[in-house]
Amino acid sequence: KQSQLKEVAGILLQTATVDNWNQIQNFEAKPDDRLICTYPKAGTTWIQEIVDMIEQDADVEKCQRAIIQHCHPFIEWARSPQPCARNAKDCMVSYYYFQRMNQVLPDPGTWEEYFEAFIDGKVGWGSWFDHVKGWWEKDRYQVLFLFYEDIKKDPKHEIQKVAQFMGKNLDETVLDKIVQETSFEKMKENPMTNRSTVPKSILDQSISPFIRKGTVGDWKNHFTVAQNENFDEIYKKKMEGITINFCLEL
Ligand code: A3P
């Protein structure tokens, strides 16, 4: 692959993002804007679909009006709320597959090479550690911090939490429908969420599907024992003083 990342303010970004940098930097949120802020591969599409379904009162037809990234455009640089985080190990694995199939991102190299690059934050949109720390340390005012692993474990409870944060009171049938429609299986077959409308020259799903595995703990199939020990050491140092207990297996 010929694609390159470019560095802006110390962070590697995709060229399309760099080209829109002025617009992104000058973005001004309105008081009632809701922003979804995720590190890549933390479940961005999932939470976008959940928010859309809540907004549309689980009206599937309305939700399928356009591909999800157009219903909820992704804003890479913003100051307010609704971060969604996923444990670093599964994020790394997911990102590795994504970078292989994404033709506009550079080749990730071998798993060992990628492991180092991810730890050093030398991947698109910067360091997982900086992202998570940055959001965790933010003023809690009007920020709903969600975890991929929690949504996986108890989707109904977490979706309810998102709805409350959005000031919506959902009745039981609507809530159940949202749980059902935002399941991994449904989103994998839904062309508005599975990115199947994106040309193969950009996302080559024959290399790896966009909605790939959707599990907690896939890292165990990729990390060697030595890599895991090494990672845990580095994690302790980089996340010093931060007490977030990421769930690593369900
Ligand atoms: P995997 O590669 O581990 O399968 P993003 O949208 O931020 O790029 O995140 C993509 C990750 O979220 C992928 O992880 C994808 O499978 C997972 N995902 C998307 N929809 C999901 C759902 N409904 N349930 C569980 N995981 C989901």
Side-chain angles (χ1 to χ4, degrees), residues 167-189:
K168 278 256 194 180
N169 235 334
L170 303 179
D171 67 48
E172 199 68 12
T173 41
V174 172
L175 184 59
D176 286 339
K177 194 164 172 204
I178 297 177
V179 173
Q180 199 191 325
E181 292 297 326
T182 58
S183 70
F184 179 81
E185 292 70 24
K186 282 277 187 172
M187 283 183 58
K188 193 173 173 65
E189 69 192 27

Side-chain angles (χ1 to χ4, degrees), residues 66-70 190-200 202-203 205:
I67 50 175
I68 190 65
Q69 61 268 40
H70 290 170
N190 176 356
M192 298 300 136
T193 53
N194 66 16
R195 303 284 204 278
S196 59
T197 56
V198 178
K200 200 175 170 181
I202 297 176
L203 296 182
Q205 307 228 20

Side-chain angles (χ1 to χ4, degrees), residues 8-23:
V8 177
I11 294 178
L12 292 172
L13 296 170
Q14 199 176 325
T15 31
T17 308
V18 177
D19 294 344
N20 293 318
W21 190 246
N22 272 346
Q23 224 183 329

